[in-house]
Amino acid sequence: MAWYDEAVFYHIYPLGLTGAPKENPYGEPEHRLNTLIPWISHIREIGCNAIYIGPLFESVGHGYETTDYKKLDSRLGTNEDLTDFVAKCHEQGIRVILDGVFNHTGRDFFAFQDIKKNRENSPYKDWYCNVNFWGNNEYNDGFSYENWGGYNLLVKLNQHNPAVRDYICDVIRFWVSEFDIDGIRLDAADVLDFAYMKALRQVANDVKPEFWLMGEVIHGDYTRWVNEGTLHSVTNYTLHKALYSGHNDHNYFEIAHTVKRLYEMGGNKPDGLKLYNFADNHDVERIYTKLNNKAHFAPVHILMYTLPGVPSIYYGSEFGIEGKKERFSDDSLRPMLSLADYAEAITNNSYTKLIAALGKVRQHTLALSYGDYQELVLTNRQYAYSRNYNGQSVIVAVNNDDSDYVLTLRAGNAAEYIGALSGEKVSVNGGNIVVNIKANSGDIWLPVTAESEKAVAPVAVTSTPDPKDLPGDTASKAEQNQPAADTARTDAEPADADADQKQHTNENPSAANASAENAKPAVSQDFENGKIAGLQEAILAIMEKNGPVTDQMRRDVEANVYHDSLIAWIKSFR
């Protein structure tokens, strides 16, 4: 067990969050990093115990064209500011990992500047890939070189050069000794040389106990990078894609099959492949923007926090903010935010309350960090699984439908379970629990123990987000993006009419009853009783197909004699 096995990350893009200028004037330090110190308490309050922050070091613009690996970007402050920031994080029990941009440098990096000055006579001419003094480029350098991503602003390092490896390894040692960091996220790890990464892993093993190396990998067999010789973890872009498209398409099969494939990739072991899970980051659109139905914010994050892996929240997404990727700019993905604008979020913002509740559950539930994964139920719109550890079975169920859904789920050895998000308790009967999963929501069912009681944080997981939760112009965007009720469903239009009728009934029962009497002919009480009995038989028949039906389950059905409730039961089985 290491600290990162139980980590919940908060991801910060500091140049954006602090509102730094897009271009570095290389002037006097501006101490913007210090403005992030109040965020440390907020990060801890929403249940995160680790920060991934970067890029941080001197660069030309967006931070990934490094000018000096050993100097904090002057737009953010001084090295002393970074040392102080990490120390304050550690004081509050929060680990810190930085961005390691070791695949390429910027053109202002000292080695490249020496090549420009001394050309063939530069001792650094072999620090970069394919330097050709017979070529040229748009900067009119009088030579060409290999870049990264098609941008000559990013000069690709020659990772096979021992001098380059030694220099980068020395940078890691410097970051640990100077700033006391706890790990590094390797930028563009999927294009790094494997021998190069092995050298970095050796340094990681030496500089500090449990020093964590995580890499940015977009696709492929993740075990190529995650193993004892290279990295501890990589970014789980496979799950990221499944999380939003699985909800937009009402297709939990995509998510479940992705999880199964990744779990198998790790040898079907809980510690086989612990990936860095995220719903959004500084390179992709905000999850709130990507979701067709904004109500799916809840089940997306319930899954991200409870599936195998290490969860991460990108700054601002805990507030439900928007962020759309533009053709020539990522600025909207990396906005400046003022924490003062969200001072009451933990109390008043439904999204923040949900994230905080999930963070609390994660902190107090070891099975979510170390437990195995077993699929229990899978339909297009409902998905349930268990995480089992040291005899404890934690059950997770989510629902992407606009109607509630009743599930019968195989339970563990406990006599009673409690919903960590709902606070509801259910008894185990015949080895099963029967739970009602709210529309566009979910819950985490914990065996009732003294420890699990600490994890319970009842929160109203609403199926309709309130745009007032979002500050400023973001609220109007949320209203514009809110899907119409009749387009959110694909296969149950009659249920919408039923839902409308229920809503009116709740608001004005007498008016609804009068309207109902005018809308249909009178029927005998015997007919109504027979219809209810028929519905009960149908419910029991469907339940028997799904598994054993206990006496208590039969009594629950028989006691549920109200017409609207029985209709809801029937719909939950489609």
Side-chain angles (χ1 to χ4, degrees):
M1 294 182 181
W3 68 264
Y4 43 80
D5 290 322
E6 299 178 29
V8 177
F9 272 92
Y10 193 82
H11 174 195
I12 295 174
Y13 179 79
L15 293 171
L17 178 54
T18 62
K22 293 180 184 178
E23 294 185 6
N24 191 345
Y26 294 137
E28 288 298 314
E30 297 286 343
H31 301 279
R32 292 183 176 89
L33 187 67
N34 293 340
T35 66
L36 299 186
I37 290 174
W39 284 80
I40 300 172
S41 296
H42 164 74
I43 290 166
R44 186 186 60 170
E45 190 175 14
I46 64 171
C48 296
N49 55 14
I51 292 174
Y52 153 41
I53 182 170
L56 282 167
F57 296 97
E58 193 82 289
S59 66
V60 177
H62 52 56
Y64 290 98
E65 63 290 72
T66 310
T67 299
D68 189 339
Y69 285 103
K70 297 184 179 181
K71 180 179 182 296
L72 183 69
D73 196 300
S74 54
R75 292 170 290 175
L76 295 173
T78 64
N79 283 9
E80 290 73 19
D81 293 334
L82 180 54
T83 300
D84 183 58
F85 177 80
V86 175
K88 283 182 165 55
C89 288
H90 286 168
E91 288 171 6
Q92 298 201 45
I94 295 175
R95 307 278 185 157
V96 180
I97 73 166
L98 309 185
D99 239 332
V101 188
F102 300 148
N103 176 66
H104 47 269
T105 74
R107 288 169 49 82
D108 288 346
F109 186 65
F110 80 90
F112 188 83
Q113 286 295 306
D114 193 272
I115 296 173
K116 285 184 64 178
K117 178 181 179 180
N118 298 306
R119 293 179 57 83
E120 292 90 342
N121 296 320
S122 171
Y124 303 105
K125 66 180 184 296
D126 294 326
W127 273 44
Y128 295 99
C129 294
N130 299 320
V131 175
N132 177 15
F133 292 106
W134 296 94
N136 205 351
N137 56 36
E138 70 269 30
Y139 297 102
N140 199 29
D141 290 325
F143 61 91
S144 61
Y145 48 85
E146 188 174 336
N147 64 41
W148 184 80
Y151 300 98
N152 274 327
L153 184 67
L154 308 174
V155 194
K156 186 168 175 59
L157 285 165
N158 178 8
Q159 300 163 27
H160 298 283
N161 186 331
V164 171
R165 291 190 193 180
D166 290 345
Y167 179 83
I168 295 299
C169 288
D170 183 60
V171 165
I172 296 175
R173 296 186 188 97
F174 175 81
W175 287 358
V176 174
S177 64
E178 186 80 359
F179 309 119
D180 193 27
I181 63 168
D182 303 291
I184 293 172
R185 176 262 195 189
L186 295 177
D187 182 63
D190 46 8
V191 296
L192 294 181
D193 177 72
F194 280 91
Y196 184 54
M197 279 188 287
K198 288 179 180 178
L200 302 183
R201 175 62 178 267
Q202 186 57 55
V203 174
N205 292 342
D206 294 340
V207 292
K208 194 176 190 179
E210 299 182 359
F211 192 83
W212 196 53
L213 277 187
M214 184 263 288
E216 180 192 26
V217 173
I218 307 301
H219 56 78
D221 181 351
Y222 289 145
T223 58
R224 294 182 63 210
W225 292 272
V226 181
N227 53 65
E228 289 299 318
T230 49
L231 307 180
H232 296 92
S233 183
V234 294
T235 52
N236 194 353
Y237 270 90
T238 304
L239 181 62
H240 156 71
K241 189 269 177 186
L243 283 175
Y244 70 80
S245 63
H247 284 86
N248 285 346
D249 298 337
H250 287 284
N251 183 15
Y252 275 150
F253 284 94
E254 179 184 3
I255 298 176
H257 290 178
T258 296
V259 174
K260 182 180 179 182
R261 179 163 59 88
L262 293 173
Y263 195 63
E264 290 173 348
M265 196 181 292
N268 289 311
K269 298 182 297 183
D271 58 349
L273 192 63
K274 289 198 172 180
L275 302 174
Y276 182 87
N277 295 341
F278 61 96
D280 46 20
N281 63 28
H282 66 301
D283 287 326
V284 301
E285 292 183 345
R286 295 278 177 173
I287 186 62
Y288 194 86
T289 297
K290 276 193 169 183
L291 291 173
N292 294 339
N293 183 348
K294 307 309 179 186
H296 288 158
F297 182 95
V300 162
H301 285 88
I302 292 170
L303 289 172
M304 192 189 74
Y305 268 78
T306 59
L307 286 168
V310 179
S312 172
I313 287 291
Y314 182 43
Y315 83 92
S317 285
E318 74 272 26
F319 307 129
I321 69 171
E322 297 270 6
K324 186 172 180 60
K325 196 173 181 71
E326 306 295 341
R327 184 177 179 186
F328 299 110
S329 173
D330 287 337
D331 288 351
S332 67
L333 310 180
R334 308 166 179 181
M336 178 183 182
L337 298 180
S338 171
L339 188 58
D341 290 339
Y342 302 92
E344 305 299 325
I346 196 72
T347 303
N348 299 331
N349 185 308
S350 62
Y351 308 104
T352 315
K353 286 190 285 187
L354 172 64
I355 297 303
L358 291 171
K360 183 178 181 181
V361 175
R362 184 86 187 196
Q363 286 182 349
H364 291 283
T365 310
L366 290 178
L368 296 179
S369 295
Y370 301 105
D372 68 6
Y373 165 82
Q374 295 183 22
E375 184 181 296
L376 299 179
V377 171
L378 179 61
T379 73
N380 281 330
R381 298 180 179 233
Q382 289 78 35
Y383 176 29
Y385 50 89
S386 64
R387 304 290 309 278
N388 307 283
Y389 177 71
N390 278 356
Q392 181 189 54
S393 183
V394 173
I395 300 169
V396 181
V398 288
N399 176 17
N400 68 45
D401 195 75
D402 289 343
S403 298
D404 291 6
Y405 196 97
V406 176
L407 285 173
T408 300
L409 301 171
R410 185 176 71 251
N413 297 324
E416 190 176 30
Y417 274 74
I418 186 169
L421 302 180
S422 65
E424 297 177 4
K425 290 185 178 181
V426 294
S427 298
V428 176
N429 290 296
N432 298 313
I433 57 174
V434 179
V435 296
N436 180 48
I437 308 301
K438 298 294 185 182
N440 298 315
S441 188
D443 211 340
I444 305 163
W445 297 93
L446 310 173
V448 175
T449 65
E451 184 62 24
S452 68
E453 296 281 1
K454 299 176 185 176
V456 175
V459 58
V461 185
T462 58
S463 61
T464 304
D466 185 353
K468 296 193 296 294
D469 285 338
L470 309 179
D473 294 335
T474 313
S476 61
K477 291 181 184 177
E479 289 176 315
Q480 292 168 8
N481 288 327
Q482 186 69 17
D486 60 349
T487 61
R489 303 179 64 91
T490 59
D491 62 350
E493 300 304 328
D496 289 330
D498 250 14
D500 288 342
Q501 180 63 40
K502 287 182 200 175
Q503 181 179 358
H504 293 307
T505 302
N506 291 335
E507 293 172 353
N508 191 343
S510 59
N513 290 338
S515 174
E517 288 178 3
N518 292 333
K520 63 178 182 179
V523 293
S524 70
Q525 187 60 45
D526 289 341
F527 179 83
E528 286 291 337
N529 291 339
K531 189 162 62 174
I532 291 172
L535 287 171
Q536 290 174 334
E537 289 179 11
I539 290 168
L540 290 169
I542 296 172
M543 291 176 68
E544 286 172 349
K545 291 181 181 178
N546 291 346
V549 178
T550 65
D551 290 339
Q552 180 61 50
M553 292 161 71
R554 291 181 183 278
R555 287 193 294 271
D556 289 342
V557 172
E558 291 168 359
N560 197 6
V561 296
Y562 296 101
H563 176 74
D564 285 342
S565 298
L566 290 167
I567 288 289
W569 272 64
I570 285 289
K571 287 175 184 170
S572 75
F573 288 105
R574 53 164 203 284

